[in-house]
Amino acid sequence: MARPQIKEISFEIDGREVRAPEGTMLVDAAKSGDVEIPYFCYEPKLGQPVGACRMCLVEIEGMPKLQTSCSTPVKDGMVINTTSDRVKSAQNAIVEFLLINHPLDCPVCDKGGECPLQDISYGWGGGKSRFIEPKRHFRKPLELSPLVAIDRERCILCYRCVRFSQEVAEDYQLVFLERGDHTYVGTHDGRPYVGPFSGNILDLCPVGALTSTAYRFRARPWDVEEAGSLCTLCPSQCNVQLTIRDDSKVLRAFARDNPEVDDGWLCDKGRFGYQAIHSEERLRAPMVRDGSMLREAPWDHALEQAAAALTRAGAGTAALAGGATTNEEAFLLGHLMREALGSPHLDARAGGALDPQQARVLARPDLSARVSDIDHADVILVVDTELVEEAPILDLRVRKAARRNNAKVVTLTGRPSSLDPNATAAVRFAPGAAEAALSALAAELGSGRATGSRLHSRAGCEPGAIGAAAEVLRAAGDVVVLWGERISDGARGASAVDALLAVAGALGIVDRPESGLIEVPAATNARGMREAGVAPGLAPGLTDAPEAGMPAAEIAGALGAGELSALILLHEDPLATHPERRRWQTALDTAATVIAFTDFVTTALRDYATVIFPAESYAEKEGTLTHPDGRLQRVRQAIGHQGQVRPEWSVLAELAGRCGARPDVRSAPQVTQKLFATVGFLDGLTLDEIGGKGVRWQDRDAASNLPRAELPEGTLEVPPELPEGMRLGTVPSLWAGTTVEHAPSLRFLAPVQRAELAPADAHRLGVGSGDEVEVAAGGQRLRATVALRQAMQPGSVFLVSGTADNNATALTNGVPRTVEITKTAGAVNGAGPPAAAPAAPGPGAQPPPV
Amino acid sequence: MPEPHTPIDDVITVQRGPEPGGLGGAYRAFGATLRGLRTTLGRVAEKPPTYQYPEEKTPVYPRFRGRHKLQRFEDTGLEKCVGCSLCVAACPAECIRVVAAENTPDNQVSAGERYAAVYEINMTRCIFCGYCEVACPFDAITMGNDYEMADYHRSDLIFTKEMLLADAIEKTPLRREGE
Ligand code: SF4
Ligand code: SF4
Ligand code: FES
């Protein structure tokens, strides 16, 4: 489905001839003539207009009655009047009508000062009311959820929040209850409205009916300043606007609409995660190990200790970067490692590095899709990623394409996907068998590259399921493939990516400009870090590194064996995110030096770190990130550095300097310029060009500087047979990690470990939903609560990775592996969550109804 | 069309006194002095108009705008201010700072849902224009009559909520009608 071509038409508004795209609703078209029509319920992001508030009435020549301009598309030659006496008296009447039951408690209302109802009453209202009867009353304020407070007296019943829940988030929780003047917003059974996107209704509500419990009464619009930046908490990299008070405190975050990135939505993690910035527990000064204790130390001492230890280790140093490491920090880390210490061992992918050649192929502009391509795709293929947990805004994007533009969705995943209800074909394979599933799909799509027999059984798929998916894909024009980084994990990662490329080849993606692949990585800036040279085999610009280093898994082994002696952790805690927790424990224990940059001291760092530098929060940082679709975006500093925190680029530069290779940089933009000058395909880019909305490097001429890489052509390797037994898969939780733990509003969402089982397996094991089980593999064990999922493939068990306790990384080792599941008897001895621990709400923890 | 400018109208004729010397000069020297003396002698019997400040305070008119006062409800004792920050928005000197917070059943400070957790007026910047009083929808902030606010440190001139809720230590006397 190509992007629609839009024709311009001309019409007359208030006596002026104006041009506007055909089919635009009158409210929007009027803006081209500098005419403002007041409205409450109109919001194109929510889908079709509903005409609920009647605020937007206008007079159209030839129509006897006033029309709602939000639901009347503009036509050629229309004559519209928005200032006639009829329109004015209608506007006055609507304002008077809307205020009949409104409490007018503006001084106590949080919306005061930024309230459309205030503005419109002032601008278009008659200024008086004839209503003297008592207004309707509700108990207030009530918690609609732990994040949102509702004041039903203020609600003007515009439908926006309900439409969001029904048509955008598709969680179907919010509804209008009762009828007529008794109508109010609520959930079916009065349960809290909890969902990963619930906070968006705060931005949508045009009155003060829905207010954020975290922002409630914190400030007025004239007390604060707004600062545009990026949310760096997941790879979606949504554009946010931060509300800052006194230049030092972030009070809230809300969406900064960028249709190429986020469509103006935010997930609740991005909306409320800012609280962690001001958490008491956040590290605000460097720490240096003194015997068994970490002690706060002056910067100079910490830098000296770190530099001395690194110089000692020299080429025996390894580095892991993760999370929201900016491109600049990644670049400087590469400089520190390669130039100052002479070590090539740096990695940013937990599951294993991408083959350099494959990395270049995947970066090809003709193979990559932009986020907005999802809107116009015929088919969206989701490969082994749970978008709502890994890049939530893309989940909304796929839902939008399916709902509004009739795109077909095909899910090809190990775990039942939350997009299955929207999918035309849903294929389940055994955890870790993505390679076989993709090979089978390539074979079905007629790729000559696939070999091997019974591929679907090697993938553990139902016979015929892959054929059905291929059927949908074959008939498609534009296809966007969203693939999870995890398919490239482990020893067979390269073959799996090869199979993915075979599918892409069979779909003819290179020849279709609006088709493409988008990787859904684990780390926020995975793409940027790779392109800035934090990968064992890649120098900045995806060129081959002069000397290939070890990927993360080998680093763990080498540290444990004493071949490497120092480790730099840039925003990374391998015990939380890397597979083979046991091996990493040994590695950290054996390492002579562990230098970490972090905002919160996790248990692993408390036990093993030698020097810890405080990391900047994203509100303090200046730099660029690269979106998974190649868009470079700026993180802008919004508040002053808290405590003794220093810009991390300067700390990395200083460390490199003290280790003997001082980079020639004196300011953050200078690092950026140096990076752009080094990376061929970013040549000539400037911060100004990136601006507020970002630039996709694939769209610039310099993209031709990407080292050439051809699509592979040889036959695919034959995927291995599946191991017998209960096969373990993991799924990350959006709510795992230090940010959620330290954001008071979000803490209730922090996940506890659960084992998702198919009912048949649970029956066979003699366990039921809510039972506590012990999951064991390779001598490691952890506790989890059973959650039954109807759509789960029998023989699979899924655990959550990244939980604070009982993290699934204890059991994973990068290859498909089987686990033993036994029911635990009796009480839990402190190691795990109490048996009766309620499952955290949210789709992560609550399997959607099947 | 405005009238064309006629420069003649601009000429001001200055009235001068007599030239020095002669009779006119003598009048200039003594006449004004004598007239002044008449005023002086005429008030010789009155008591001195000097106020012996600070022992004795200068009275002010009832609408004199002095030190602010935050009001409470007389019956419940709850603060009238709900922390809406409208006074902050109105203040041309930007000297008011309000940080609101939510009332809880155990900590009911004001009558509404919110109250001012911080309410500060920086008296070194305040220009006593009274806009805050006008802006306040609850008559919570009012301008009092007190003007004695001098202090040794600027920081002591940032009046906190507690100071503003309290009455001035000494009352400023008011001028009577016609005084
Ligand atoms: S709560 Fe707000 S968004 Fe929802 S219907 Fe009422 S006014 Fe509209
Ligand atoms: S004094 Fe009045 S205007 Fe100022 S915050 Fe309090 S209630 Fe609002
Ligand atoms: S905006 Fe048109 S009816 Fe509400």
Side-chain angles (χ1 to χ4, degrees):
Chain A
M1 211 185 314
R3 290 170 193 239
Q5 294 293 320
I6 298 184
K7 191 164 107 225
E8 277 225 328
I9 51 107
S10 81
F11 66 104
E12 193 188 307
I13 184 160
D14 294 345
R16 243 169 306 163
E17 196 69 24
V18 172
R19 296 187 70 76
E22 188 178 22
T24 344
M25 294 302 161
L26 273 179
V27 233
D28 279 340
K31 288 179 192 151
S32 348
D34 276 346
V35 173
E36 191 181 355
I37 301 176
Y39 61 84
F40 291 110
C41 68
Y42 176 65
E43 174 53 78
K45 292 191 294 184
L46 296 174
Q48 290 302 313
V50 290
C53 72
R54 319 308 287 178
M55 191 65 233
C56 62
L57 291 172
V58 294
E59 198 171 345
I60 302 176
E61 218 159 82
M63 298 204 188
K65 288 192 173 182
L66 299 183
Q67 298 294 316
T68 50
S69 59
C70 67
S71 51
T72 313
V74 63
K75 296 219 178 57
D76 202 34
M78 252 185 187
V79 180
I80 297 142
N81 199 334
T82 71
T83 50
S84 67
D85 286 344
R86 253 178 100 202
V87 175
K88 280 206 174 122
S89 78
Q91 286 169 339
N92 288 350
I94 295 292
V95 168
E96 188 181 351
F97 179 68
L98 288 175
L99 294 181
I100 277 184
N101 273 318
H102 189 85
L104 290 171
D105 56 350
C106 307
V108 279
C109 174
D110 233 5
K111 199 83 172 181
E114 48 186 8
C115 174
L117 185 59
Q118 270 186 337
D119 296 347
I120 292 175
S121 300
Y122 202 75
W124 285 271
K128 57 177 186 297
S129 171
R130 288 162 287 172
F131 188 77
I132 46 165
E133 288 74 15
K135 303 194 176 209
R136 64 178 192 162
H137 286 292
F138 285 103
R139 219 147 58 74
K140 66 180 208 173
L142 292 176
E143 275 199 355
L144 185 63
S145 83
L147 301 170
V148 179
I150 183 165
D151 183 321
R152 297 195 164 110
E153 293 181 352
R154 295 182 189 144
C155 173
I156 58 164
L157 303 175
C158 71
Y159 267 99
R160 280 181 168 215
C161 52
V162 173
R163 280 158 75 205
F164 176 79
S165 164
Q166 305 282 333
E167 297 184 28
V168 179
E170 298 187 344
D171 54 31
Y172 307 107
Q173 295 186 51
L174 283 187
V175 282
F176 271 158
L177 297 156
E178 301 282 358
R179 287 295 172 265
D181 67 334
H182 295 287
T183 316
Y184 65 93
V185 172
T187 51
H188 281 296
D189 45 4
R191 281 216 294 180
Y193 173 42
V194 176
F197 305 103
S198 67
N200 288 300
I201 60 175
L202 298 170
D203 285 357
L204 287 171
C205 185
V207 302
L210 302 171
T211 49
S212 149
T213 46
Y215 181 64
R216 234 169 120 72
F217 305 154
R218 293 296 188 284
R220 287 285 184 208
W222 50 84
D223 294 329
V224 296
E225 279 167 10
E226 307 295 348
S229 191
L230 285 191
C231 170
T232 61
L233 301 176
C234 94
S236 318
Q237 295 177 16
C238 297
N239 293 195
V240 295
Q241 189 100 346
L242 301 174
T243 296
I244 311 295
R245 187 158 193 182
D246 302 336
D247 291 334
S248 61
K249 210 163 155 72
V250 183
L251 291 185
R252 90 180 144 176
F254 56 97
R256 182 163 62 89
D257 200 344
N258 186 347
E260 289 294 331
V261 178
D262 50 34
D263 240 355
W265 306 124
L266 286 186
C267 76
D268 289 355
K269 186 171 176 182
R271 189 176 297 271
F272 298 101
Y274 68 85
Q275 294 174 339
I277 298 170
H278 300 293
S279 159
E280 288 287 312
E281 283 128 274
R282 191 179 150 208
L283 191 63
R284 289 184 170 81
M287 307 266 264
V288 172
R289 181 162 300 278
D290 175 8
S292 63
M293 286 281 288
L294 277 169
R295 274 184 221 290
E296 221 168 83
W299 268 100
D300 205 49
H301 179 65
L303 282 166
E304 199 178 288
Q305 294 282 313
L310 288 178
T311 315
R312 230 176 296 129
T317 310
L320 298 181
T325 304
T326 60
N327 297 341
E328 289 74 12
E329 287 156 9
F331 178 66
L332 286 174
L333 178 69
H335 176 89
L336 169 67
M337 292 295 292
R338 296 201 171 102
E339 314 299 328
L341 303 171
S343 160
H345 314 299
L346 63 171
D347 201 355
R349 279 166 85 96
L354 212 51
D355 170 77
Q357 186 61 13
Q358 286 180 342
R360 286 188 281 266
V361 176
L362 286 168
R364 276 172 52 152
D366 52 2
L367 257 191
S368 51
R370 49 173 68 234
V371 170
S372 59
D373 285 341
I374 299 176
D375 291 349
H376 305 287
D378 294 293
V379 176
I380 300 152
L381 172 62
V382 178
V383 184
D384 214 10
T385 169
E386 177 66 330
L387 290 176
V388 74
E389 302 287 348
E390 298 181 64
I393 290 305
L394 294 183
D395 175 85
L396 288 189
R397 205 67 184 219
V398 174
R399 287 172 193 278
K400 173 182 167 196
R403 173 180 282 268
R404 310 262 175 83
N405 298 340
N406 293 321
K408 296 200 168 78
V409 178
V410 176
T411 55
L412 181 68
T413 57
R415 177 173 179 266
S417 162
S418 63
L419 286 168
D420 285 348
N422 305 51
T424 313
V427 186
R428 233 24 17 98
F429 53 79
E435 179 193 352
L438 285 164
S439 300
L441 182 61
E444 289 280 353
L445 287 171
S447 163
R449 300 186 54 208
T451 53
S453 56
R454 298 182 309 98
L455 284 172
H456 74 264
S457 85
R458 286 173 197 262
C461 297
E462 303 273 335
I466 292 198
E471 195 76 28
V472 181
L473 286 165
R474 231 171 316 173
D478 287 323
V479 182
V480 172
V481 184
L482 297 161
W483 61 281
E485 171 186 317
R486 74 175 52 74
I487 72 165
S488 69
D489 283 0
R492 296 202 59 86
S495 328
V497 173
D498 210 12
L500 176 74
L501 292 173
V503 171
L507 288 171
I509 281 179
V510 258
D511 306 319
R512 305 193 64 107
E514 304 207 346
S515 292
L517 272 54
I518 299 179
E519 177 188 356
V520 181
T524 300
N525 191 27
R527 178 167 193 151
M529 290 193 274
R530 177 155 84 231
E531 291 173 354
V534 179
L538 290 169
L542 297 181
T543 50
D544 276 318
E547 187 189 349
M550 301 182 202
E554 279 175 43
I555 292 177
L559 279 168
E563 291 157 32
L564 295 176
S565 61
L567 179 64
I568 300 176
L569 298 171
L570 191 56
H571 314 135
E572 186 65 302
D573 173 2
L575 294 197
T577 47
H578 283 56
E580 294 199 86
R581 192 182 160 96
R582 189 51 175 279
R583 194 138 167 242
W584 273 106
Q585 232 149 8
T586 320
L588 291 176
D589 203 18
T590 327
T593 308
V594 176
I595 291 168
F597 291 75
T598 188
D599 38 8
F600 292 100
V601 182
T602 56
T603 337
L605 297 179
R606 180 164 346 105
D607 293 348
Y608 303 114
T610 326
V611 180
I612 308 185
F613 295 113
E616 297 168 282
S617 67
Y618 63 99
E620 292 153 292
K621 231 188 246 278
E622 193 71 51
T624 60
L625 292 187
T626 309
H627 188 276
D629 82 348
R631 177 172 299 273
L632 278 103
Q633 305 196 85
R634 292 181 71 176
V635 194
R636 306 295 307 268
Q637 183 174 4
I639 54 171
H641 285 92
Q642 307 281 298
Q644 296 181 44
V645 178
R646 284 189 188 175
E648 280 168 275
W649 69 264
S650 71
V651 180
L652 284 164
E654 177 66 25
L655 269 183
R658 291 187 187 221
C659 293
R662 189 169 295 278
D664 181 24
V665 286
R666 272 164 217 87
S667 69
Q670 229 180 350
V671 189
T672 314
Q673 280 317 318
K674 233 181 149 80
L675 167 74
F676 292 171
T678 315
V679 174
F681 50 82
L682 299 182
D683 193 38
L685 189 61
T686 60
L687 287 172
D688 279 347
E689 192 182 337
I690 296 176
K693 298 272 177 198
V695 174
R696 262 181 102 227
W697 65 255
Q698 293 97 325
D699 298 342
R700 300 176 69 254
D701 294 340
S704 57
N705 294 344
L706 179 74
R708 269 202 79 70
E710 297 303 331
L711 270 179
E713 274 170 2
T715 50
L716 296 177
E717 280 184 40
V718 181
E721 291 283 352
L722 283 173
E724 283 304 318
M726 285 301 284
R727 293 178 282 260
L728 171 70
T730 58
V731 58
S733 167
L734 181 63
W735 311 108
T738 49
T739 304
V740 171
E741 280 160 31
H742 293 97
S745 295
L746 291 178
R747 211 171 286 150
F748 78 104
L749 289 164
V752 287
Q753 191 53 272
R754 59 168 200 271
E756 296 176 337
L757 291 170
D761 288 327
H763 184 73
R764 186 171 47 74
L765 293 163
V767 294
S769 191
D771 279 352
E772 168 113 348
V773 288
E774 198 169 69
V775 187
Q780 298 292 306
R781 54 196 62 247
L782 55 79
R783 281 158 188 269
T785 314
V786 172
L788 295 188
R789 299 200 66 175
Q790 295 293 341
M792 183 73 87
Q793 184 92 330
S796 310
V797 51
F798 272 85
L799 293 174
V800 187
S801 58
T803 52
D805 296 312
N806 292 307
N807 191 341
T809 53
L811 303 185
T812 47
N813 67 350
V815 299
R817 109 179 293 190
T818 57
V819 290
E820 297 294 328
I821 300 176
T822 43
K823 189 169 175 175
T824 49
V828 191
N829 43 22
Q846 268 171 8
V850 266
Chain B
M1 273 295 271
E3 287 293 306
H5 180 67
T6 39
I8 296 305
D9 289 353
D10 279 359
V11 177
I12 296 166
T13 333
V14 180
Q15 297 226 315
R16 292 176 186 279
E19 289 300 307
L23 215 69
Y27 174 76
R28 256 174 75 86
F30 300 109
T33 313
L34 288 173
R35 260 180 292 135
L37 260 174
R38 194 179 70 205
T39 310
T40 312
L41 295 172
R43 314 206 85 166
V44 149
E46 283 178 19
K47 66 181 184 31
T50 312
Y51 290 106
Q52 290 306 317
Y53 187 83
E55 287 77 29
E56 185 190 345
K57 293 201 196 313
T58 316
V60 296
Y61 289 105
R63 286 170 62 185
F64 176 85
R65 296 191 298 269
R67 176 189 184 280
H68 308 70
K69 172 111 183 23
L70 276 174
Q71 304 290 341
R72 290 180 188 274
F73 285 105
E74 270 165 23
D75 44 352
T76 52
L78 291 175
E79 290 168 16
K80 284 191 179 174
C81 173
V82 296
C84 71
S85 279
L86 283 177
C87 46
V88 178
C91 179
E94 295 185 14
C95 63
I96 312 182
R97 178 165 170 262
V98 176
V99 179
E102 188 157 4
N103 281 314
T104 56
D106 327 330
N107 183 28
Q108 186 78 33
V109 180
S110 77
E113 276 172 53
R114 60 193 277 164
Y115 71 97
V118 175
Y119 192 105
E120 285 171 357
I121 300 184
N122 183 346
M123 293 296 180
T124 61
R125 297 184 74 183
C126 178
I127 56 168
F128 299 94
C129 64
Y131 280 17
C132 49
E133 186 176 20
V134 178
C136 181
F138 295 101
D139 295 336
I141 187 85
T142 54
M143 306 293 285
N145 299 130
D146 312 306
Y147 51 78
E148 286 184 324
M149 282 172 279
D151 217 319
Y152 293 102
H153 300 284
R154 277 162 208 274
S155 55
D156 292 340
L157 284 165
I158 296 176
F159 277 42
T160 61
K161 192 172 111 178
E162 287 62 42
M163 295 159 82
L164 291 166
L165 277 167
D167 279 316
I169 301 167
E170 278 175 74
K171 259 196 129 42
T172 308
L174 290 187
R175 270 178 209 263
R176 281 182 306 276
E177 193 99 16
E179 210 179 322

